[in-house]
Amino acid sequence: MTTTRTRIFILALLAAASLAAFAAREENVDELIARAESAQPNDRAALYLKIAHLKAEAADKLYDAGNTDAGKAALQDVVAYSKKSTDAAIATGKKLKNVEITLRKIAEKFRDIKRTVAFDDQPPLQQAVDEL
C-alpha cells in the first residue's frame, strides 16, 4: 500500500516538474541579443542562429500582414545575425552543420514568401536569399 502511494507521489512530482519546465517563459529577441553579445564564443553561433530564426518568423508574419517596410527591416536583421552566426561558427569550428542547415531552411522560407508577394516587393527577398 505504501509503495503505491510512493509511486503516485513520485509520478505527481514528475508531472508537476514537467509542466513547470513546459511553461517556462521563452526569451524574447532583445534578451537573446544581449545574451549573445556577452556569451562565450562557443555559444554565440547557436544564439545568433536562434535570433535569425525568430527574426525570419517575424518577417514572414509581417509580409503576410502586408507590412513590407517592416518586413524588409526584419530581412536585414536576419541577414546580419546569420552572418554573425556563421562567423562565430567558423571562428570556433563548432555548430557549422547546424548553422548551414538552419540557414538553408530560412532561405527556403524566404523563397516561398517571395512567391506570394507583389513583384515590386520581391527584390529584397531575393537579395536576402542570395546572401544567406
Side-chain angles (χ1 to χ4, degrees):
M1 187 82 161
T2 56
T3 23
T4 306
R5 286 184 186 169
T6 306
R7 288 182 184 171
I8 291 173
F9 180 72
I10 291 172
L11 287 174
L13 282 176
L14 288 173
S18 64
L19 284 175
F22 182 72
R25 185 178 68 84
E26 184 74 24
E27 287 182 304
N28 68 22
V29 176
D30 294 331
E31 291 172 348
L32 278 174
I33 292 170
R35 202 170 107 199
E37 296 298 327
S38 63
Q40 296 291 328
N42 290 340
D43 299 332
R44 286 186 183 156
L47 290 171
Y48 285 136
L49 193 61
K50 188 171 183 179
I51 294 167
H53 181 71
L54 291 174
K55 292 277 189 176
E57 289 178 359
D60 184 17
K61 290 177 184 173
L62 289 168
Y63 273 104
D64 281 345
N67 192 350
T68 57
D69 292 333
K72 289 177 190 176
L75 282 176
Q76 292 171 350
D77 289 343
V78 170
V79 171
Y81 286 107
S82 296
K83 287 181 181 178
K84 285 184 177 187
S85 176
T86 303
D87 293 343
I90 290 171
T92 62
K94 298 183 183 228
K95 309 272 186 197
L96 288 168
K97 189 165 225 157
N98 292 342
V99 169
E100 181 182 356
I101 290 169
T102 304
L103 292 181
R104 285 184 185 185
K105 288 179 182 179
I106 292 172
E108 184 176 323
K109 177 184 275 193
F110 288 159
R111 277 189 224 104
D112 293 341
I113 295 170
K114 180 184 161 198
R115 293 182 190 116
T116 64
V117 299
F119 182 74
D120 295 337
D121 297 328
Q122 290 181 2
L125 286 161
Q126 184 60 46
Q127 183 181 5
V129 168
D130 292 343
E131 289 186 36
L132 290 174

